[in-house]
Amino acid sequence: MAAMTTGTTSRADANRRRILDIALAELLRDPDASMDQIARAAGVVRRTVYGHFPSREALISTLLDGAVEAVADAHAEGLEGAKGPAEIIARTTLSVWRVADRYRILVGLAQRSVTVQGIRDRFTPVREACVEVLRQGLEEGVFSSPLPAPALAYVHEQMLFALMEAVNDGVLAAREAGPSAAITLLTTAGVPGLRATELVAELTRDADTW
């Protein structure tokens, strides 16, 4: 009986993961995709999708949780080998954008169905790590801002969301968005524009090494 229960649970988990993967693909293709469309794409009846996710909002919220986890992992990856606050900001932004670009449509959808506070709460661990880097940079004189580090971290976070929307709306080319985001965050922190541009260009050129 235990083996049967385990097997059933495993199949259910596999079905849930498959539905999430297909739902993300469908929503990226068509942000207005319905639960019916997602069910058809997944090759299951609508009841099966609703069995895992009681509403479209719940499905999007679950996908957002996965996106936040991926962003946190990318942020941690960007920290590896970084030297100094400016390089940390540049590396983590470039690393996060590679993931965020995949999820940028989802973030726009989430803003319709998940409260802004709910989105902010999910990103709290990443934001707290950014606060520490910004605080270090301000103390060392690498950064210069009239804002304290916690407020500057909020500004950076909202700028990233805004840049995602800019790409979604077609006013910023996706291929330019990652480097542009890194340069923008650095200059907002007070790094001279030329230095920010050179640093991001160097890291982008050497991206295969980190």
Side-chain angles (χ1 to χ4, degrees):
M1 180 66 72
M4 184 180 297
T5 301
T6 300
T8 301
T9 301
S10 297
R11 283 195 299 275
D13 288 343
N15 285 339
R16 185 175 187 274
R17 287 194 297 271
R18 181 168 178 273
I19 289 170
L20 284 170
D21 288 342
I22 290 174
L24 178 59
E26 286 297 300
L27 288 167
L28 293 178
R29 182 183 63 80
D30 176 11
D32 294 319
S34 66
M35 296 289 268
D36 281 342
Q37 287 176 258
I38 291 168
R40 285 196 298 272
V44 299
V45 296
R46 185 174 64 171
R47 184 175 66 251
T48 300
V49 178
Y50 277 109
H52 291 284
F53 309 100
S55 66
R56 188 172 182 274
E57 290 72 21
L59 174 61
I60 290 173
S61 181
T62 302
L63 287 170
L64 181 62
D65 288 338
V68 171
E69 183 178 347
V71 165
D73 289 344
H75 187 271
E77 181 182 342
L79 287 172
E80 296 177 5
K83 301 173 183 177
E87 188 172 320
I88 289 174
I89 293 294
R91 279 180 177 265
T92 54
T93 302
L94 290 168
S95 183
V96 164
W97 193 268
R98 294 192 191 103
V99 174
D101 186 54
R102 182 183 181 217
Y103 291 106
R104 55 188 165 79
I105 297 291
L106 179 62
V107 171
L109 288 171
Q111 289 175 329
R112 304 180 200 170
S113 58
V114 181
T115 64
V116 172
Q117 188 59 48
I119 295 175
R120 284 178 177 169
D121 289 345
R122 284 169 165 84
F123 282 103
T124 295
V126 174
R127 187 188 311 114
E128 289 176 345
C130 292
V131 168
E132 291 308 310
V133 174
L134 291 169
R135 182 175 288 121
Q136 178 187 350
L138 289 169
E139 290 175 352
E140 294 177 359
V142 176
F143 301 147
S144 176
S145 173
L147 298 174
L152 188 55
Y154 269 93
V155 170
H156 279 188
E157 184 178 294
Q158 292 306 308
M159 289 177 72
L160 287 174
F161 287 146
L163 288 170
M164 288 183 200
E165 287 298 310
V167 176
N168 290 344
D169 291 342
V171 298
L172 177 64
R175 67 180 179 278
E176 300 172 0
S180 295
I183 293 169
T184 300
L185 265 59
L186 285 170
T187 55
T188 303
V191 176
L194 180 58
R195 171 57 184 150
T197 301
E198 290 175 343
L199 175 58
V200 172
E202 178 183 340
L203 293 175
T204 302
R205 185 174 58 251
D206 299 337
D208 290 339
T209 66
W210 57 276

